[in-house]
Amino acid sequence: MTTTGTGNAPDVDTPDVVDVVALGESMVTFLPTRPGRLADVPSFDRAIGGAESNVACTLAAAGHTARWVSRVGADGFGDHLVETIAGHGVDTTAVRRDPARPTGVYFRTAGDRATDAHEVAYYRAGSAASAMSVTGVDLAAVRAARVLHLSGITAALSASCLELMRELTAPAAGRPPVSFDVNHRPGLWRDAGGPGVLLDLARGADIVFVGADEAEAAWGVTGGPEAIRALLPEPGVLVVKDGARGATVYESEDGGRPGGDPSAPGRAAGPAAAPAPGTRTTRTTHVPAPEVTVVAAVGAGDAFAAGFLSATLRGLPVRDRLRHGHLWAAAALTVPGDLATPPARAHADRLAALDDTEWGRLRLGPGWTAADEGAEEEVRTP
């Protein structure tokens, strides 16, 4: 925090501007010590899980400044979350403790590699994070960012969380560019209104991440990326992920409504009014995903978002933003847990700079992020 004051006026604490603020629930995760049904597994290892904190931790590991904003219980699990996320280099000073509500936890089994079948048991109803609200978080700390990253999961937690999400995505002077990962989770919504809520929130964001499969599940869009863009013309940057086939970015040439360039230093200005319908020209960029030997599919979407945002903050071209997204996702796919250390910047930059033919030959397996410059050939096939 920085402190300012004038004359005899009292000092006022203002939050430091960080590269990315990520707001959302994180939970303590219990992973089985051996394969089997939850009913049969005798013991579990403890970890953490949360879409937004995953993004913050991954960006911090890559050298960006990141802040996580949330609520946790005044309990041991809350201590573990805050200490672990802070241990990744993330600013947790804006996390509030709730003495009346517990920290959320969940248990899951290991996924079967052939079918990705697994069990998950959530214990998050009435959690401290579900009490986040417009008055229950430090809005100044939330908005002191070059990019504010949110996800649709938060909107499903409670009515007060949804009100907060609407506040943060509403056009306002001083609002940072908003990154929004749709993260459609049907089981979290208490009624059938979830898809409509997610669509409204996405339309208010500046950078939107959505999977082609979840766009079909949530909104019935079956025409591929172009149809999704037709449904979501408002965001200045729309990233449509399509699994192993790659990802497509639709970028408005007028810059869309982002209030400022996230690659510029300091706080971005608030978003301008959206241009009139039919006045926007969009550039389209598609980048295929490299072939990856998957160890576990959890956390890949969060890693992709972090990689794309990192490259955006660095001012890299759209093709390279997508390639960094794919590379960071591959880092998560080739480890068993939710969080993976992203590839070293120089290593990722070398791979992102490959020509299209070399990029198409890229094969990434467990341990690839540890390859140094001399071992780069180990992750490619001729």
Side-chain angles (χ1 to χ4, degrees), residues 25 34 63 70 73 94 132 275 306 338 367 377:
E25 181 173 35
R34 72 182 192 192
S70 189
M132 286 189 293
D338 288 32
E377 291 300 323

Side-chain angles (χ1 to χ4, degrees), residues 109-345:
T109 59
D112 180 271
R113 291 189 184 182
T115 65
D116 195 31
H118 59 280
E119 294 176 78
V120 181
Y122 289 101
Y123 299 91
R124 73 194 311 176
S127 70
S130 70
M132 286 189 293
S133 66
V134 173
T135 58
V137 301
D138 184 344
L139 290 180
V142 172
R143 290 169 170 149
R146 292 167 64 192
V147 175
L148 170 59
H149 182 70
L150 308 169
S151 93
I153 294 172
T154 304
L157 298 181
S158 68
S160 66
C161 283
L162 175 55
E163 181 185 15
L164 174 62
M165 291 288 288
R166 285 176 168 153
E167 169 72 18
L168 295 176
T169 55
R175 190 194 88 172
V178 172
S179 163
F180 180 69
D181 193 335
V182 172
N183 261 329
H184 178 46
R185 299 290 188 271
L188 285 178
W189 291 95
R190 296 164 298 283
D191 54 45
V197 168
L198 295 175
L199 187 59
D200 288 342
L201 293 173
R203 285 173 171 162
D206 304 303
I207 303 170
V208 173
F209 300 94
V210 63
D213 55 347
E214 65 181 343
E216 180 177 358
W219 305 317
V221 180
T222 58
E226 289 286 347
I228 298 170
R229 181 55 168 175
L231 183 69
L232 278 171
E234 296 88 356
V237 176
L238 173 66
V239 184
V240 180
K241 300 173 293 180
D242 199 9
R245 286 179 287 276
T248 303
V249 166
Y250 296 91
E251 183 184 34
S252 299
E253 291 186 359
D254 60 11
R257 289 167 309 147
D261 180 359
S263 65
R267 188 198 302 257
T279 64
R280 311 180 90 180
T281 303
T282 298
R283 293 187 294 263
T284 304
T285 305
H286 174 80
V287 171
E291 185 175 315
V292 178
T293 302
V294 177
V295 173
V298 293
D302 303 329
F304 182 98
F308 188 91
L309 291 176
S310 173
T312 299
L313 288 161
R314 294 172 58 202
L316 300 185
V318 172
R319 186 206 69 168
D320 290 1
R321 297 180 199 182
L322 282 170
R323 287 188 171 186
H324 276 269
H326 286 314
L327 291 169
W328 289 33
L333 289 168
T334 51
V335 298
D338 288 32
L339 274 173
T341 301
R345 180 172 292 185

